[in-house]
């Protein structure tokens, strides 16, 4: 029930907190989301140790008073929780739904304990069963209606624009959203764009006619053509929506694309008119590819982001050396 209330809070309050102050707002948001459940769950271990010591034979509790057994179970649960979160929840469902799934599981656990615990008095058992059922059902309903509650299926307006999420997919590398937007310009015209968002940050923007919708894509293309006007081999590190490879697509140009997230390629095809036949695709980390490949390229485009920054290991001297080893004598690198 605690997790259910926290999950209800953050879609409504987090935007206001972010607008209030990015750092302080983030701290307050973490307190709202995590403080109560973490303090509550953390208080369970000493309580369980005390209950165990009080309810069992004192001779069995010489030494650690049962604390070793309690903390063994607690630590095992923590390890399993990390594995389930990292390999099941994060790549398959959103944070909001993860909290609700956890709340349903806690309600189910409380119900099982209420039915199985022999030492509970009748009125205590009845109250616990009632609370578990009500909390579980309420959370399950919210989980079922999560899309409507978060307004992800609705047209949203902000200032002079309209936005609609047309696709969302959690992955190991972040939560992907494909968003269509319409901006009403002062001259009465409309600007229609489609954005590829990773954890809320734009990785690729495309105009209605298929042209790039962000200046950095034009800048990378122009810099590349200025460096090597007749490139025959092009390496693109980081696919996004696939706009950059499409700008260089030609029967005379061999293009290799390295993308760490396997979900990006089908999404680029479906939502950004990307033709995967224009390039050879390698689903792997850019550092691994550049270290192992023997191929040489006239142009390399490095558009490598996790969140709002390039990972540090892709800014190292070693990675720059690997990039240089992939270049032809007249080749060049354009780095976003």
């Amino acid at each position: 029930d605690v997790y259910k209330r926290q999950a209800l809070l953050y879609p409504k309050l987090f935007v206001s907190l972010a607008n209030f102050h990015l750092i302080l707002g983030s701290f307050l948001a973490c307190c709202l989301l995590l403080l109560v459940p973490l303090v509550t769950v953390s208080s369970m271990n000493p309580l369980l140790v005390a209950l165990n010591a009080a309810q069992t034979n004192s001779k069995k509790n010489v030494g650690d008073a049962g604390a070793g057994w309690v903390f063994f179970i607690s630590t095992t649960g923590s390890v399993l929780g990390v594995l389930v979160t990292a390999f099941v929840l994060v790549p398959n469902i959103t944070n909001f739904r993860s909290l609700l799934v956890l709340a349903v599981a806690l309600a189910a656990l409380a119900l099982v304990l209420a039915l199985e615990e022999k030492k509970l008095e009748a009125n205590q058992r009845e109250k616990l069963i009632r609370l578990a059922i009500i909390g579980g059902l309420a959370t399950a309903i919210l989980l079922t209606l999560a899309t409507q509650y978060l307004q992800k299926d609705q047209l949203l307006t902000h200032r002079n624009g309209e936005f609609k999420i047309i696709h969302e997919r959690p992955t190991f590398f972040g939560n992907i959203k494909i968003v269509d937007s319409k901006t009403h310009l002062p001259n009465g015209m409309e600007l229609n764009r489609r954005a590829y968002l990773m954890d809320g940050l734009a990785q690729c923007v495309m105009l209605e006619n298929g042209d790039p919708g962000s200046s950095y894509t034009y800048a990378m293309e122009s810099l590349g053509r200025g460096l090597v006007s007749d490139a025959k081999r092009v390496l693109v590190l980081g696919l996004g929506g696939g706009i950059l490879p499409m700008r260089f697509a030609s029967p005379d140009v061999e293009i290799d694309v390295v993308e760490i997230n396997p979900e990006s390629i089908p999404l680029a095809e479906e939502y950004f008119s990307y033709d995967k036949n224009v390039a050879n695709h390698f689903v792997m980390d850019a550092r691994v590819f550049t270290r192992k490949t023997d191929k040489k390229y006239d142009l390399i485009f490095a558009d490598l982001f996790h969140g709002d920054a390039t990972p540090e290991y892709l800014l190292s001297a070693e990675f720059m050396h690997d990039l240089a080893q992939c270049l032809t004598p007249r080749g060049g690198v354009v780095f976003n």
Side-chain angles (χ1 to χ4, degrees), residues 224-234 252-253 298-299 330:
R225 296 189 188 281
L227 280 170
V228 184
S229 60
D230 58 344
K232 300 301 181 185
R233 277 190 170 183
V234 176
D252 299 327
V253 179
D298 301 317
L299 265 178
R330 64 190 186 94

Side-chain angles (χ1 to χ4, degrees), residues 40-59:
T40 303
V41 172
S42 298
S43 68
M44 291 298 102
N45 282 344
L47 289 175
L48 289 171
V49 172
L51 287 172
N52 184 66
Q55 295 179 4
T56 59
N57 190 319
S58 60
K59 293 183 179 180

Side-chain angles (χ1 to χ4, degrees), residues 53 191 213 247 299:
L191 179 63
R247 303 289 288 182
L299 265 178

